[in-house]
Amino acid sequence: MSYVDEVLDLLVAKNPSQPEFHQAAKEVLESLRVVIEENEEEYRKDALLERLTTPERVILFRVPWVDDKGQVQVNNGFRVQFNSAIGPYKGGLRFHPSVNLGIIKFLGFEQIFKNSLTGLPIGGGKGGSDFDPKGKSDREVMAFCQSFMTELNKHIGADTDVPAGDIGVGGREIGYLFGQYKRIRNLYEGVLTGKGLTYGGSLARTEATGYGLLYFTEEMLKSNGKDIKGATIAVSGAGNVAIYAIQKAQQLGGKPVTCSDSTGWIYDPEGIDVELLKEVKEIKRARLTEYAAKRPSAQYHEGKGVWTVKCDVALPCATQNELDLEDAKTLVANGCYAVAEGANMPTTLEATEYLQANGILFAPGKASNAGGVATSALEMSQNSERLSWSFEEVDQKLKGIMVNIFHNVDDASRKYGMEKNYVAGANIAGFQKVADAMKAQGIV
Ligand code: NDP
Ligand code: 2IT
């Protein structure tokens, strides 16, 4: 049996009930087959793939907090410190009821390669909780964040592990988490990114994932003789990534016509009104029905459906496995020519294969959504030198990083004879730096 197959079998046996982790590992290891086969015996002897797929450390903890009625609530807390070969662990925190160890492991595993692709010195990690911030008062969110950090602070630090936001964790949560870290550790340091601008945050970090997605997409389209200008774009999600993807798409001359949340979706043929969307989602934390109520051109539908809208480019920006084989068939039938992932692993493996087999340009999240974590690393740099760069400076660096990632991914796919397979290109390009660093550091 090939080394890749051995490791995949072992991984499934050793990590039961973690389908998302299996999915992420399968996609990466399948891509790496060509690289591993060049030197299979050495990789096997060093157990490089077993080490790569086993987290360096997994921290599980209880998060007790008191709700507004005086009732004690208990949630699970997680931090997976996956790989520190190329830098301190770096990756977001997700607060969502669906969070479990398998979800955090899939996200932490993806983060290793994504962070490597940025070219910056950051290792891979991820964390979170099954806490649901929806419908909670500010005081409840603060109580939860303080309890979460009361445990997490023991395991993180500006040169050890630097968390940030993800689903359900935005500026409000990062503020409460930072305050509690500082209070307990008596340290004012860049232990979190995505901080507010008055206490060490970076300009353009809020916009970075969505903007970066569009910079990557623009470069990918350009290199394939297409243009974002004039393209009709279907976007899913209505959170941090989706909002700033829509904004940058409009700035580049594209026309995003959809967005969605966990209960329904909007089709707005005149183009999404970003200011209204921000007001509904960032300020009021309300449902998309409020967007439709204020926008005569918008149609609101319950449930799932953005991929049924005819589009040139699709940008899934909500959550994992939100674009399945049926959706992929609909997109192809409707003439869509590019799919770029803003979310982490939003496309199922079957859907990805179908899109690629039908000649759709497909950008995997670990490459196309790397702008968020890249700008987090820029926030770390600014914190270290105790300076703040201008919006334009950060944005220019972000753009340069995304354009570079596209070309590194494209070059890797060509080098291994898989031209335009950006999934393989991203996995191979991300792997190489991490594998070299792991080899150099011995058996640890
Ligand atoms: P947010 O919490 O800001 O937004 C998530 C959006 O997706 C919300 O509109 C949410 O709906 C919607 N959604 C629909 N279905 C689900 C579901 N089953 N689970 C969770 N959300 C759902 O998160 P982000 O925009 O930050 O993250 C979106 C995706 O992008 C995630 O996959 C994340 O891992 C990834 N990502 C985020 C980065 C960042 O910097 N924030 C960086 C790179 C990737 P509702 O409004 O009803 O909650
Ligand atoms: O998935 C991701 O890359 C993020 N949620 C951002 C991580 C970070 O450290 O900024």
Side-chain angles (χ1 to χ4, degrees):
M1 200 193 264
S2 79
Y3 177 43
V4 164
D5 290 321
E6 275 170 35
V7 174
L8 276 173
D9 283 358
L10 192 72
L11 182 138
V12 172
K14 275 195 172 186
N15 301 274
S17 315
Q18 297 182 351
E20 293 85 2
F21 178 48
H22 303 169
Q23 181 182 342
K26 185 161 189 251
E27 187 218 90
V28 171
L29 266 55
E30 289 294 350
S31 300
L32 295 182
R33 235 179 241 286
V34 285
V35 181
I36 301 296
E37 277 165 8
E38 288 179 336
N39 220 337
E40 195 175 61
E41 283 322 305
E42 194 183 327
Y43 284 116
R44 185 188 267 123
K45 184 158 177 277
D46 286 350
L48 192 102
L49 294 181
E50 288 89 332
R51 287 191 285 142
L52 191 67
T53 51
T54 305
E56 290 176 14
R57 192 175 297 103
V58 172
I59 301 147
L60 303 178
F61 51 101
R62 178 172 73 203
V63 191
W65 56 282
V66 183
D67 73 15
D68 284 348
K69 297 190 188 97
Q71 174 66 48
V72 175
Q73 302 284 346
V74 181
N75 287 102
N76 296 323
F78 304 89
R79 186 73 185 167
V80 173
Q81 299 180 330
F82 222 119
N83 191 299
S84 63
I86 65 168
Y89 309 107
K90 182 83 198 85
L93 296 171
R94 177 177 290 190
F95 293 170
H96 192 272
S98 63
V99 164
N100 58 42
L101 183 57
I103 297 273
I104 300 298
K105 278 170 68 179
F106 117 64
L107 290 163
F109 184 69
E110 287 284 288
Q111 201 82 44
I112 302 170
F113 307 96
K114 182 195 303 194
N115 292 4
S116 170
L117 285 171
T118 66
L120 300 166
I122 41 178
K126 200 82 185 192
S129 174
D130 55 2
F131 173 71
D132 186 0
K134 272 212 187 77
K136 303 291 191 298
S137 68
D138 276 353
R139 194 212 61 82
E140 288 176 320
V141 171
M142 182 173 74
F144 174 81
C145 288
Q146 291 181 340
S147 180
F148 186 85
M149 186 52 87
T150 299
E151 178 59 33
L152 186 68
N153 88 86
K154 300 167 191 167
H155 313 284
I156 62 176
D159 294 311
T160 308
D161 182 357
V162 183
D166 193 80
I167 289 175
V169 178
R172 175 181 61 170
E173 291 74 19
I174 293 293
Y176 294 145
L177 291 163
F178 183 76
Q180 185 73 348
Y181 179 86
K182 180 168 63 75
R183 185 184 188 197
I184 296 177
R185 296 281 294 265
N186 197 21
L187 270 180
Y188 203 109
E189 61 169 5
V191 66
L192 293 160
T193 58
K195 299 186 293 300
L197 298 177
T198 53
Y199 61 96
S202 173
L203 285 160
R205 174 61 187 92
T206 305
E207 294 84 354
T209 311
Y211 279 23
L213 172 66
L214 268 295
Y215 294 146
F216 185 100
T217 305
E218 187 185 34
E219 194 64 18
M220 176 175 78
L221 294 188
K222 214 162 70 182
S223 120
N224 285 280
K226 306 259 189 210
D227 196 345
I228 195 87
K229 207 168 172 190
T232 298
I233 305 172
V235 178
S236 66
N240 174 266
V241 180
I243 288 173
Y244 294 96
I246 290 170
Q247 187 171 73
K248 183 52 74 178
Q250 287 174 343
Q251 288 172 9
L252 297 177
K255 191 179 187 191
V257 292
T258 66
C259 62
S260 65
D261 66 12
S262 46
T263 50
W265 59 284
I266 294 284
Y267 174 51
D268 193 340
E270 285 186 12
I272 298 291
D273 178 340
V274 185
E275 288 314 312
L276 177 57
L277 184 62
K278 282 190 190 181
E279 186 191 313
V280 171
K281 283 289 167 185
E282 289 183 344
I283 298 165
K284 293 190 178 157
R285 299 179 187 274
R287 292 188 50 199
L288 285 174
T289 41
E290 292 215 13
Y291 177 96
K294 289 206 174 144
R295 178 93 172 154
S297 57
Q299 301 162 18
Y300 175 81
H301 304 270
E302 286 288 326
K304 212 190 129 172
V306 291
W307 314 128
T308 61
V309 171
K310 189 172 164 51
C311 66
D312 302 307
V313 176
L315 304 176
C317 297
T319 193
Q320 64 274 357
N321 292 329
E322 52 159 316
L323 197 166
D324 63 19
L325 183 58
E326 282 312 302
D327 299 322
K329 287 182 178 167
T330 310
L331 286 169
V332 170
N334 280 340
C336 170
Y337 56 73
V339 175
E341 296 184 324
N344 285 309
M345 209 172 76
T347 315
T348 65
L349 286 176
E350 298 73 32
T352 303
E353 280 160 16
Y354 184 86
L355 292 169
Q356 289 182 318
N358 282 275
I360 307 294
L361 301 170
F362 180 83
K366 65 171 69 69
S368 50
N369 74 31
V373 76
T375 306
S376 279
L378 301 179
E379 182 172 330
M380 290 166 71
S381 298
Q382 293 168 78
N383 291 167
S384 295
E385 61 174 18
R386 298 181 195 281
L387 291 172
S388 307
W389 305 339
S390 68
F391 187 96
E392 290 67 30
E393 186 174 355
V394 179
D395 190 37
Q396 271 311 308
K397 286 191 162 74
L398 167 64
K399 188 165 182 188
I401 290 167
M402 298 313 296
V403 168
N404 246 326
I405 294 177
F406 172 74
H407 290 290
N408 288 340
V409 165
D410 191 34
D411 291 349
S413 72
R414 288 170 199 270
K415 183 174 168 201
Y416 285 92
M418 293 183 280
E419 201 180 334
K420 295 197 200 300
N421 183 343
Y422 303 128
V423 172
N427 289 328
I428 292 168
F431 169 76
Q432 251 141 5
K433 182 179 174 190
V434 176
D436 286 352
M438 284 176 74
K439 276 188 216 159
Q441 291 171 34
I443 306 305
V444 291

